[in-house]
Structure formats: structure tokens, C-alpha cells
Amino acid sequence: AQTVTQSQPEMSVQEAETVTLSCTYDTSENNYYLFWYKQPPSRQMILVIRQEAYKQQNATENRFSVNFQKAAKSFSLKISDSQLGDTAMYFCAFMNPGGSQGNLIFGKGTKLSVKP
Amino acid sequence: DTGVSQDPRHKITKRGQNVTFRCDPISEHNRLYWYRQTLGQGPEFLTYFQNEAQLEKSRLLSDRFSAERPKGSFSTLEIQRTEQGDSAMYLCASSPPTSGRGNEQFFGPGTRLTVL
């Protein structure tokens, strides 16, 4: 069974600085997707960034980028130029597209606080 | 806005009562997922629909839980004889039939259930 581990329950960063959130996962699959979702306080979960395992190039979305290390089964999220609106829970998630469900397997999350 | 909607947003009930939640996915999204999120945890998969067919149920979905998606559009999740351990946020997500976007799931705001 696949598992996702986020080892940092809470993190904080000063506004405008850079922060990296860690995620490791375990799977025997070769083809899969990885995601970072953001859940702001009392608001719904939104997708931040995705990575296809067969792509070696790390995904980037504006201030958000990932460091995908397939052999190490590591998928960290880097947030550059942190903004107050980045304050949220961040969840790392795994999906096996070949599975019958296609459901997401989430880590426990990292609570990020951006301080002014 | 035509995002995923859920109703009600909050539900307080007494132990032993039945509750029903509704999810309206994004139109034309044929896949629909239910997740449960308890405090301090990431969402956990409950069940999955493709159109009106319920294709997968997690072991978390005890026989007190039932979900339907009668016409392949909205879905309902019913919990019978609620227990205090059922207190959680119930999240609904949908995704389109074919996607080159890594099967991105779009989440609703959730229904927060409190069982007294």
C-alpha cells in the first residue's frame, strides 16, 4: 500500500523569504502523480502544483516549485517570496492513475504560518 | 462560480441520529470522491463514483455509511446511527472524465459534522 509522510507538522517563515516543505512517499508503482494541495483556514482545498512521475523535470507554478527525487521517493515543495496569503495547511498527496479508484492518498499535512 | 458545492456546511447532531450530506460536483465531471478529514489529519478516501456507479469503497466506510449518485450528477452520503467518532469534515471532490492534467481533483468546502 502506498503511504505519504510529511515530517514537519508546523513551519513558519518570514514574509518574502523562502520555505521548503518536505514529503516522502512509499510505492512500488513506476507511474504515478504527486500533488501539493493548500487548505487555507476555513476554506476549501486547492491544488498548488502537480508532478508526473515519468517527467524528470521538476514542476513549477509561479512562486511554487518542487524538488522531485524519484529514486529517493521525495517530493518537497519550495515557496519563494512567501506571502501572508500562503498561510495554510499544505498536504502532499499521491495518486496511482492505474488504480481502480484514482483516489488521492494524503499525508498528515504541514501547517505553514507566514509572519509579517 | 461553478465549483464543487456541499450542503450543509455544518451539521450538529446527537448520537444515534441519521444525517445526510449532499455534494454537487462541477458539471460534466463524471468522477466523484468522498473523503473524511479528522482534526490534525489529511483527508482519507471513503468512496468513489464514476457516473452513477459506485466503483470503490474504503474499509473506513462501515455499514452505517451509504452513498449514492443516482443520476450521475449530485451525490449524497448518509450516516445512520451516528457515533461520536463520526465527527469530522466530510469532503467531496470531482474530476473530469479525461484529463491530461494528472486527474486533478477539485474539492468542495466540506461539511463539518459534530456528533454530541
Side-chain angles (χ1 to χ4, degrees), chain A residues 93-111:
Chain A
F94 171 98
M95 177 196 285
N96 171 15
S100 58
Q101 309 106 309
N103 59 287
L104 294 165
I105 299 168
F106 288 88
K108 291 187 176 183
T110 296
K111 184 178 181 180

Side-chain angles (χ1 to χ4, degrees), chain A residues 52-76:
Chain A
E52 292 96 331
Y54 62 87
K55 290 188 176 179
Q56 292 188 342
Q57 186 174 5
N58 289 326
T60 62
E61 288 285 347
N62 301 312
R63 297 183 295 108
F64 299 87
S65 61
V66 298
N67 183 5
F68 173 49
Q69 301 289 328
K70 190 173 185 179
K73 296 180 182 174
S74 171
F75 183 61
S76 60

Side-chain angles (χ1 to χ4, degrees), chain B residues 18-108:
Chain B
N18 299 342
V19 294
T20 300
F21 311 141
R22 176 178 171 126
C23 170
D24 286 89
I26 294 170
S27 59
E28 299 177 356
H29 280 195
N30 68 333
R31 304 180 194 179
L32 188 147
Y33 302 82
W34 285 97
Y35 293 86
R36 182 175 71 185
Q37 185 178 20
T38 53
L39 200 60
Q41 303 293 321
E44 296 174 291
F45 169 72
L46 291 178
T47 190
Y48 161 60
F49 289 87
Q50 185 166 310
N51 300 310
E52 66 276 9
Q54 187 175 19
L55 297 186
E56 195 70 31
K57 292 192 290 186
S58 161
R59 59 179 173 76
L60 294 176
L61 212 67
S62 75
D63 56 5
R64 296 184 298 106
F65 288 70
S66 62
E68 294 182 342
R69 193 182 183 197
K71 296 183 179 179
S73 56
F74 72 92
S75 175
T76 58
L77 177 68
E78 180 183 14
I79 309 175
Q80 296 182 327
R81 306 181 303 281
T82 52
E83 302 173 355
Q84 288 183 328
D86 297 331
S87 295
M89 176 76 84
Y90 289 84
L91 297 170
C92 177
S94 69
S95 66
T98 57
S99 173
R101 293 168 55 81
N103 297 293
E104 178 180 350
Q105 293 183 19
F106 297 79
F107 282 82

Side-chain angles (χ1 to χ4, degrees), chain A residues 6-59:
Chain A
Q6 293 179 250
S7 59
Q8 305 152 315
E10 293 192 40
M11 293 192 72
S12 65
V13 63
Q14 291 296 127
E15 195 175 8
E17 298 201 340
T18 296
V19 63
T20 299
L21 308 184
S22 300
C23 173
T24 58
Y25 59 94
D26 189 25
T27 184
S28 57
E29 301 291 333
N30 191 49
N31 184 32
Y32 49 87
Y33 295 104
L34 295 163
F35 304 83
W36 280 98
Y37 276 87
K38 169 185 177 181
Q39 189 175 40
S42 301
R43 294 179 60 186
Q44 63 203 78
M45 197 167 319
I46 58 174
L47 179 66
V48 174
I49 198 166
R50 82 172 56 75
Q51 175 80 41
E52 292 96 331
Y54 62 87
K55 290 188 176 179
Q56 292 188 342
Q57 186 174 5
N58 289 326

